[in-house]
Amino acid sequence: MDMLNKVTAFLQQALETQEPSINLLDSFVDHWKAITNYYIETTDESRPVKNTDIPWRLKQMLDILVYEEKLEGEETGSCMEYLLQHKILETLCTLGKAQYPPGMSQQVMLFFSKFLGQIQKPLLHLINVYRPVQKLIHLCGLPESQTEKEESQFLFVLCTRVNKDSYVLNYILEVTKESQKQRSGSTSEESVKERCSGSSSPAGEPSSPSAQTDAHLSSIPQTGIIPVLIHLGKSQKSRIALRAMESLLQLVSLPKEDTGKILAERTPVCHLLAQRLTELYCLVPSTLDPADIHSLPGLQWRTQFTEDTAEESQSFPGSEHVYRFFCFLDFCDQIVKKAPKVLANKVAKAIHHQWLKGVIEPQLLQMSEVGILVHTALLSCSLRHTHSPVLLEELVQFLLGSDTHCEQRDQSTSHNLRYCLIEHCNHISDEISITTLRVFEELLKKPNRHILTNLVLRNLEMRCYRLPGSGCGDERQGAEADVLEETDELEEDPFFTDMYEDSGFSGQEPLLSLPSVREKHNPSTHIQAADVVNSFLCLVPQEAKTSHLVQEAGYDTYVHDAHKLMKECSGPSLEWNWPDSAKATESAPNTDFYEGQFLKMLFDRIARILEQPYELNLQVTSVLSRLAVFPHPHLHEYLLDPYISLSPGARSLFSTLVRVIGELMQRIQHIPNVTERLMITRRQLMGQEEETMMDHATLLKGVIVLEEFCKELAAIAFVKLPMEQQ
């Protein structure tokens, strides 16, 4: 070995100093002949390749090629011509496949990796390069392979090269013009056959999506670089898996649409990604605690390969499967985000078909409460990990459907999953209700216009919740009279009247002094911003209030949060072309107002705030608060305007709260020392006192949530009204 090192040093020095006595081609040929002579002369077939001079000679050949390229510049050197003409790469592939001498495949992989990585000239379009590369790809990803490390390195260099020269993708995928023509012809023939078979079928129905997917996959080669990368991405060795996933991401990130179309139509990448995601999801135990799922941090796909994440993934039983699934979900999300549009759409639809429809939907519609709970929690966390608009759109369509027309009361829904999820918010199991409400809260955090339209806005579009004519007509009719009239209506409500008679609160105490704001969403009325804010602040009677007795529990603490939430929700809505002002109402609406299944569920829940568990109340009010922040004029009016005249049978958020307050006043009359009990309960909830058993605990906690919710709505109204003046 000392002699070999001396020879290596001498050759390297000669190359660097351009010694005229050293002929590059002669040296290159001598090294290659020495390798071929080994196979002719050796008789010891068990001798490992690392104990021969083959690795050294391959390195010298590579060094000569690299040095020659520097000398020749744009011209192809004689050594490179010799390598191509004598099909040296082809021969090396054959030797690597034979694994003779033992370990030869590793040496071949290393040589190809360095050859493709260090030679700068475009080479992959040459038949004597891409054919051996194709053959070497077929040697990767084999069962029980001992060369995973070298395979991952070779494929990474190859994908990096393709990323720089995207036109060579066809050669790597073994796609020729003839095969593309055959594919096009077979596709047209299949479509004709499908139409013919569809028309002759008994029910006259088209083939199922799964049948169409199977037919499509049967025409796609299931070998090649994509399946190999997916296979290596499953490796137990983190570095190998990371390198394989990086390679795949490079490949699908090619910016041109035609390359995206080739990957989508001529490789199984879409199917394999969706299949792998589904496999990992099915490994997640169904006995998980939903609290553990909700406590997961936002995971990025690369983090699964770090030591810190490896330790965190053992934090609860089954957590390693949860971490692996959400990391791969983030990987798919990144692929959809970076891939060309045609490929992104197809990957997202494959995920919709295989994972969402194939696995999650049956789990959400099952009868087992334990199963519903776990899979709903996983769905909520999946929404949190989805950021690409294309994949998010598939999730939204899966959960809510595509309907945008007004909902009708007692009308059968065209999207069963949406109906069932909203019903689960009213489930007999409080845990299922809370977890499903989390799903809708995650949905409302997403920058997708259809979510708000489908859940809420389509039912508010015609403003049928208003009394006909209450918002129209001559401005000079007098906004003050309108306000007084609407206030009188509230005061005539028996709950409203009893509440203030019993509390001794007149409702006249000024809490805020804000500038006059003319409502942009209703030009016929002038409302003091202070009146709107005070309407919510004054809802809870004085003897039921306790926040003023505790530091840092005042209304002003919500203003900062409201500003932050407003900024978060207003940003995406700027691109949704929402109207600046409310739509003019018809004098006589054709139909009775129905707020829709989602708002009805939320209002029903708020109406029961005094008898529901504390955690459930927090989740309901959290969803409503986020809804109230959105700057749509109809939504703002319906949720935050206490002065609208409601049409017969309609209810708003404010009118629902008024009736809750009326019920509250009746119930607390039967509780001795109610203010003191409320104060103790508040301290316990804040962790200032140890929690003890107390009569009427659910009611007392409900009162505290109600007070805080009213302050939160007041803060949102305060933040929004001045902005509408601008």
Side-chain angles (χ1 to χ4, degrees):
M1 291 302 293
D2 291 340
M3 180 60 68
L4 287 177
N5 290 334
K6 291 179 180 178
V7 174
T8 302
F10 171 76
L11 179 59
Q12 185 66 31
Q13 184 179 5
L15 289 174
E16 291 176 354
T17 57
Q18 302 184 36
E19 284 286 343
S21 60
I22 299 294
N23 184 286
L24 291 179
L25 180 59
D26 290 345
S27 179
F28 187 83
V29 172
D30 287 344
H31 285 301
W32 178 241
K33 286 184 177 179
I35 292 175
T36 56
N37 286 338
Y38 174 86
Y39 289 90
I40 298 172
E41 298 171 359
T42 188
T43 57
D44 185 4
E45 296 184 358
S46 63
R47 185 183 182 187
V49 69
K50 63 182 180 180
N51 294 337
T52 71
D53 66 347
I54 291 177
W56 175 78
R57 293 194 178 277
L58 287 174
K59 183 180 184 304
Q60 298 309 307
M61 291 172 65
L62 182 66
D63 288 341
I64 291 172
L65 290 171
V66 173
Y67 182 72
E68 180 187 62
E69 185 181 44
K70 292 179 180 178
L71 289 179
E72 300 295 338
E74 297 296 327
E75 298 295 326
T76 301
S78 56
C79 297
M80 180 64 74
E81 288 183 353
Y82 183 89
L83 177 138
L84 296 173
Q85 290 174 2
H86 290 78
K87 299 183 179 180
I88 290 179
L89 297 179
E90 192 93 23
T91 304
L92 285 174
C93 272
T94 303
L95 297 176
K97 183 177 181 179
Q99 272 286 45
Y100 175 63
M104 187 61 185
S105 60
Q106 283 99 325
Q107 298 301 319
V108 173
M109 294 279 182
L110 287 171
F111 181 83
F112 271 73
S113 299
K114 294 177 180 178
F115 177 74
L116 293 174
Q118 296 181 27
I119 301 298
Q120 302 301 311
K121 289 187 181 71
L123 294 171
L124 283 170
H125 63 289
L126 302 175
I127 189 170
N128 286 338
V129 177
Y130 71 73
R131 281 280 177 82
V133 167
Q134 290 173 354
K135 290 183 179 180
L136 200 58
I137 291 172
H138 287 289
L139 296 180
C140 299
L142 299 177
E144 300 181 2
S145 171
Q146 302 298 313
T147 60
E148 281 190 342
K149 179 181 177 181
E150 292 77 13
E151 292 170 20
S152 64
Q153 176 65 23
F154 160 64
L155 294 173
F156 179 78
V157 173
L158 179 59
C159 291
T160 302
R161 197 65 186 255
V162 174
N163 196 269
K164 293 179 180 178
D165 305 315
S166 60
Y167 69 93
V168 301
L169 180 64
N170 285 346
Y171 301 105
I172 302 306
L173 298 178
E174 305 179 44
V175 177
T176 63
K177 292 183 179 179
E178 289 74 17
S179 67
Q180 290 189 56
K181 289 180 180 178
Q182 291 175 1
R183 167 64 186 163
S184 176
S186 64
T187 302
S188 60
E189 289 178 9
E190 288 169 6
S191 62
V192 171
K193 290 179 180 178
E194 284 178 9
R195 286 196 296 269
C196 293
S197 62
S199 61
S200 61
S201 62
E205 295 179 353
S207 57
S208 65
S210 59
Q212 294 175 6
T213 302
D214 294 340
H216 175 66
L217 286 173
S218 65
S219 65
I220 294 177
Q222 298 301 303
T223 58
I225 190 170
I226 299 295
V228 169
L229 290 174
I230 294 290
H231 172 78
L232 290 176
K234 303 176 184 179
S235 174
Q236 297 300 313
K237 300 176 181 177
S238 59
R239 290 186 178 182
I240 292 170
L242 173 62
R243 187 57 59 88
M245 294 173 76
E246 287 176 335
S247 302
L248 184 57
L249 195 58
Q250 282 198 84
L251 208 58
V252 301
S253 300
L254 296 171
K256 295 182 179 179
E257 284 295 323
D258 56 345
T259 59
K261 187 175 182 181
I262 290 172
L263 287 166
E265 295 182 355
R266 299 297 296 144
T267 74
V269 62
C270 304
H271 167 73
L272 291 177
L273 285 170
Q275 183 182 64
R276 180 59 177 161
L277 184 69
T278 304
E279 287 173 357
L280 291 172
Y281 184 84
C282 292
L283 291 175
V284 175
S286 58
T287 55
L288 291 174
D289 185 347
D292 291 331
I293 299 173
H294 292 307
S295 66
L296 279 177
L299 297 174
Q300 296 181 349
W301 70 270
R302 293 178 190 273
T303 60
Q304 64 182 309
F305 304 112
T306 62
E307 293 183 4
D308 293 341
T309 305
E311 294 176 2
E312 290 177 5
S313 65
Q314 306 296 326
S315 56
F316 55 88
S319 58
E320 66 276 8
H321 296 297
V322 178
Y323 271 73
R324 289 175 65 192
F325 166 73
F326 283 113
C327 284
F328 196 79
L329 177 60
D330 180 71
F331 179 69
C332 292
D333 189 65
Q334 289 298 314
I335 281 183
V336 174
K337 185 184 295 184
K338 295 184 177 182
K341 186 176 181 181
V342 62
L343 179 58
N345 285 333
K346 197 158 186 181
V347 171
K349 289 188 181 302
I351 290 173
H352 185 157
H353 172 68
Q354 292 191 52
W355 175 47
L356 297 176
K357 293 290 290 185
V359 178
I360 286 191
E361 184 170 21
Q363 299 291 352
L364 294 175
L365 300 179
Q366 65 177 299
M367 299 302 294
S368 167
E369 290 187 4
V370 174
I372 292 174
L373 188 59
V374 171
H375 290 283
T376 304
L378 289 170
L379 174 61
S380 176
C381 201
S382 298
L383 277 166
R384 181 152 48 91
H385 280 81
T386 303
H387 305 286
S388 63
V390 175
L391 187 55
L392 176 61
E393 181 64 27
E394 291 297 326
L395 266 166
V396 171
Q397 292 296 322
F398 165 70
L399 294 172
L400 305 181
S402 57
D403 289 346
T404 56
H405 58 272
C406 290
E407 295 178 72
Q408 300 297 319
R409 200 185 302 270
D410 300 326
Q411 183 185 43
S412 60
T413 179
S414 60
H415 196 78
N416 185 49
L417 183 58
R418 176 188 186 274
Y419 173 82
C420 290
L421 283 174
I422 297 177
E423 285 297 302
H424 285 176
C425 295
N426 266 325
H427 202 277
I428 190 173
S429 164
D430 293 328
E431 276 193 288
I432 290 178
S433 296
I434 293 170
T435 305
T436 311
L437 282 164
R438 282 179 178 265
V439 171
F440 286 103
E441 185 174 26
E442 290 295 337
L443 274 173
L444 293 173
K445 292 178 181 178
K446 295 301 177 181
N448 185 292
R449 178 177 182 173
H450 182 69
I451 295 171
L452 270 294
T453 300
N454 181 280
L455 289 176
V456 178
L457 294 179
R458 56 173 166 158
N459 302 307
L460 306 180
E461 183 179 2
M462 303 306 297
R463 297 175 74 202
C464 295
Y465 49 85
R466 289 188 69 103
L467 194 65
S470 63
C472 305
D474 192 346
E475 291 186 18
R476 289 174 293 181
Q477 288 179 340
E480 297 174 0
D482 273 348
V483 173
L484 288 174
E485 181 181 345
E486 292 168 10
T487 306
D488 290 341
E489 290 177 6
L490 287 175
E491 291 177 349
E492 289 171 4
D493 188 303
F495 293 112
F496 190 90
T497 306
D498 293 342
M499 170 186 74
Y500 287 109
E501 286 179 355
D502 295 338
S503 67
F505 178 66
S506 65
Q508 302 300 318
E509 289 86 342
L511 298 180
L512 289 175
S513 179
L514 300 178
S516 175
V517 177
R518 177 169 176 166
E519 282 193 304
K520 201 171 186 179
H521 62 270
N522 187 0
S524 66
T525 59
H526 299 71
I527 296 179
Q528 293 287 340
D531 292 339
V532 176
V533 174
N534 290 340
S535 295
F536 287 104
L537 289 178
C538 298
L539 267 175
V540 178
Q542 200 63 33
E543 61 264 40
K545 289 182 177 180
T546 51
S547 61
H548 62 286
L549 302 175
V550 180
Q551 289 185 348
E552 299 182 358
Y555 147 80
D556 56 332
T557 60
Y558 284 101
V559 174
H560 177 268
D561 294 337
H563 271 292
K564 182 179 178 181
L565 191 58
M566 177 96 177
K567 186 177 181 180
E568 181 182 331
C569 295
S570 298
S573 66
L574 294 175
E575 302 176 1
W576 296 344
N577 298 319
W578 278 350
D580 293 328
S581 58
K583 187 176 184 178
T585 55
E586 298 180 9
S587 57
N590 297 326
T591 57
D592 293 335
F593 173 68
Y594 175 50
E595 65 266 50
Q597 186 190 7
F598 184 63
L599 278 177
K600 180 181 183 300
M601 174 272 297
L602 290 175
F603 284 3
D604 288 346
R605 278 296 187 188
I606 281 294
R608 301 196 298 270
I609 195 171
L610 301 179
E611 54 200 53
Q612 294 174 158
Y614 175 71
E615 294 77 10
L616 179 55
N617 284 335
L618 289 180
Q619 194 59 55
V620 173
T621 55
S622 180
V623 173
L624 273 169
S625 297
R626 180 167 288 272
L627 268 179
V629 169
F630 283 100
H632 192 285
H634 298 173
L635 192 57
H636 175 91
E637 178 182 56
Y638 188 57
L639 295 181
L640 291 179
D641 188 348
Y643 299 102
I644 55 173
S645 297
L646 296 171
S647 60
R651 58 177 174 172
S652 66
L653 177 57
F654 188 79
S655 70
T656 303
L657 290 173
V658 165
R659 293 186 175 274
V660 172
I661 297 299
E663 180 186 351
L664 164 65
M665 292 308 302
Q666 292 181 358
R667 295 181 63 175
I668 64 174
Q669 289 177 1
H670 306 290
I671 302 177
N673 304 319
V674 64
T675 304
E676 181 181 348
R677 288 170 179 256
L678 283 168
M679 194 62 215
I680 294 173
T681 303
R682 179 179 284 276
R683 290 199 188 99
Q684 291 177 352
L685 293 174
M686 296 176 67
Q688 296 177 356
E689 290 186 13
E690 184 177 351
E691 190 163 351
T692 57
M693 295 295 294
M694 184 183 299
D695 293 337
H696 312 289
T698 300
L699 172 63
L700 296 172
K701 291 178 181 179
V703 173
I704 292 171
V705 174
L706 180 61
E707 181 186 357
E708 297 303 309
F709 183 47
C710 288
K711 291 192 299 183
E712 188 173 15
L713 292 176
I716 293 171
F718 171 72
V719 169
K720 289 182 72 178
L721 283 171
M723 290 187 67
E724 293 188 357
Q725 190 182 21
Q726 299 174 0

